[in-house]
Amino acid sequence: MTRSALVVGVSGIIGNALSRRLAQQGWRVDGLARRPSRDIEGVNPIAADLLDPAGLRAALNNVSPTHVFFATWMRQPTEAENIEVNAAMVRNLLNVTSRSGSVRHVALVTGLKHYLGPFEAYGKGVLPETPFREDQPRLNVENFYYAQEDEVFAAALRDGFGWSVHRPHTIMGYAVGNAMNMGVTLAAYASICRETGRSFIFPGSATQWNGLTDMTDARLLARHLEWAATTEAARNQAFNVVNGDVFRWKWMWRRLAGCFGIEPAAFPDQTTPLERQLAGAGPIWAKIAARHGLAEPDLGKLASAWHTDADLGRPIECVTDMSKSRKLGFLDYQATDDSFFDLFTQLRAKRIIP
């Protein structure tokens, strides 16, 4: 039977990489977003708002996917609002796709906030020990990831499809205008430092600077999503998914600086968040963009300083266990420094950074 994928969030870091992967592997791919990417070969773009059930039904009227990949969210001012909005997005979609009876598998992408808590309580309170493992219980706090999972579980019970939940760490990949994009944010920051002579200062905590951490390449995540959706042993399972290496930011920061031909600053005596370092940098970026003929002169559409600060400011080590996937046969590996280098090369080729 032909595999037909509906990739929800096709314009984001995950959706971009996943839709390209599936199309290259011979899947029929429909990519849904409010403003879907239209330059991905082999992917049919569908414009729809997940919070508009009537419009969503109309947009998906002739779409009968065998596999649904949900990789999007909308940030709200409070976690209660995050739960209301993001759970509704999943529920609305699965109510619409239920009509065709074609769906065999639904994959939901969440993340390590499953273990670390939502942004309102991020890295605070009583947290599980690292490495994070899938069998660790939910935290006793409100979390929109849990609400999204529950919507998938309820729909699976109703419609009889299999499911998988994927929990990546910070995701590295290409997208512009994404709400959580450390790679592009650090590329823009390093470019500003090189062009202006500013110091390239690590914006996070001493724990992140000195401790071990890991990340997730969007390309590896795409392969993991396809694997879980097509492997019977992975049916109805939640999985961590990271590159497979670990590093310390004090090592990685030197690597990133070298890629831009600049010297890394010494670790500062106090945390120096990117939101503060990049405050007022919009006009500087606009001048850099004009001088180099860059495609995006608006720094606000490239840099998500708030998210990078949240990740790099955490007070605990973040190491993620992948044993569950390994035991079931997913053995892919990606060096994280190469993930950064590959992304920077792509950003230069697309004239996003100089």
Side-chain angles (χ1 to χ4, degrees):
M1 183 182 296
T2 300
R3 290 170 176 169
S4 175
L6 176 61
V7 177
V8 184
V10 70
S11 297
I13 297 175
I14 303 165
N16 187 298
L18 175 61
S19 58
R20 292 179 189 277
R21 164 75 185 182
L22 296 178
Q24 290 166 1
Q25 295 300 306
W27 290 60
R28 172 187 164 82
V29 183
D30 293 297
L32 187 147
R34 284 178 295 173
R35 294 177 294 277
S37 301
R38 299 183 180 275
D39 61 346
I40 304 176
E41 185 176 354
V43 176
N44 174 48
I46 298 175
D49 184 344
L50 292 169
L51 295 176
D52 175 12
L56 189 59
R57 283 194 298 271
L60 296 177
N61 185 52
N62 296 316
V63 178
S64 300
T66 59
H67 295 70
V68 174
F69 299 90
F70 197 96
T72 189
W73 74 295
M74 290 180 62
R75 189 186 183 197
Q76 304 299 312
T78 67
E79 192 60 18
E81 291 170 281
N82 274 330
I83 290 170
E84 179 181 0
V85 169
N86 290 283
M89 289 163 60
V90 176
R91 183 168 60 252
N92 291 343
L93 177 77
L94 297 182
N95 283 343
V96 170
T97 57
S98 178
R99 298 178 308 169
S100 67
S102 61
V103 177
R104 305 204 303 264
H105 188 93
V106 172
L108 172 68
V109 181
T110 60
L112 290 199
K113 286 189 290 296
H114 184 93
Y115 308 111
L116 290 164
F119 287 120
E120 290 182 359
Y122 196 49
K124 300 175 183 177
V126 178
L127 298 173
E129 292 184 348
T130 57
F132 299 126
R133 293 188 170 92
E134 295 92 340
D135 60 0
Q136 291 166 328
R138 291 179 175 183
L139 301 175
N140 188 28
V141 295
E142 290 188 321
N143 191 323
F144 82 84
Y145 283 174
Y146 305 160
Q148 287 186 311
E149 285 185 347
D150 289 343
E151 293 293 343
V152 171
F153 301 157
L157 186 63
R158 177 191 68 202
D159 296 339
F161 57 73
W163 55 265
S164 57
V165 175
H166 304 256
R167 299 170 186 162
H169 197 169
T170 303
I171 299 170
M172 177 74 57
Y174 178 81
V176 175
N178 191 270
M180 300 191 297
N181 197 330
M182 180 187 288
V184 177
T185 298
L186 292 180
Y189 172 51
S191 298
I192 289 172
C193 290
R194 184 182 64 191
E195 296 282 326
T196 64
R198 291 187 180 190
S199 296
F200 188 53
I201 301 171
F202 181 72
S205 68
T207 301
Q208 289 299 304
W209 180 254
N210 293 306
L212 292 173
T213 194
D214 47 32
M215 292 182 72
T216 305
D217 190 299
R219 298 167 298 183
L220 181 138
L221 175 55
R223 298 194 296 274
H224 191 267
L225 282 158
E226 183 184 25
W227 166 79
T230 57
T231 300
E232 183 60 30
R235 182 183 173 92
N236 298 345
Q237 299 287 333
F239 295 102
N240 296 330
V241 51
V242 288
N243 286 343
D245 63 350
V246 294
F247 63 91
R248 303 180 199 276
W249 274 106
K250 64 182 179 182
W251 174 82
M252 184 66 77
W253 203 246
R254 293 194 301 271
R255 303 279 286 164
L256 302 189
C259 196
F260 286 86
I262 56 179
E263 289 294 322
F267 183 74
D269 294 333
Q270 60 183 3
T271 302
T272 314
L274 268 187
E275 278 201 300
R276 189 165 73 215
Q277 292 193 56
L278 294 178
I284 296 172
W285 183 260
K287 291 179 181 178
I288 293 172
R291 184 161 64 247
H292 293 279
L294 301 183
E296 181 50 72
D298 185 351
L299 182 62
K301 293 181 178 179
L302 297 179
S304 52
W306 67 272
H307 170 256
T308 299
D309 285 340
D311 272 11
L312 298 184
R314 289 177 297 208
I316 64 171
E317 275 192 344
C318 290
V319 181
T320 314
D321 184 74
M322 277 282 286
S323 298
K324 186 175 182 180
S325 292
R326 304 297 190 221
K327 289 177 180 178
L328 293 178
F330 184 82
L331 304 177
D332 289 26
Y333 165 86
Q334 171 67 47
T336 301
D337 52 344
D338 287 341
S339 294
F340 275 110
F341 302 155
D342 290 349
L343 174 62
F344 298 158
T345 297
Q346 187 175 13
L347 292 174
R348 290 182 177 120
K350 292 181 176 292
R351 304 206 63 76
I352 302 299
I353 61 173

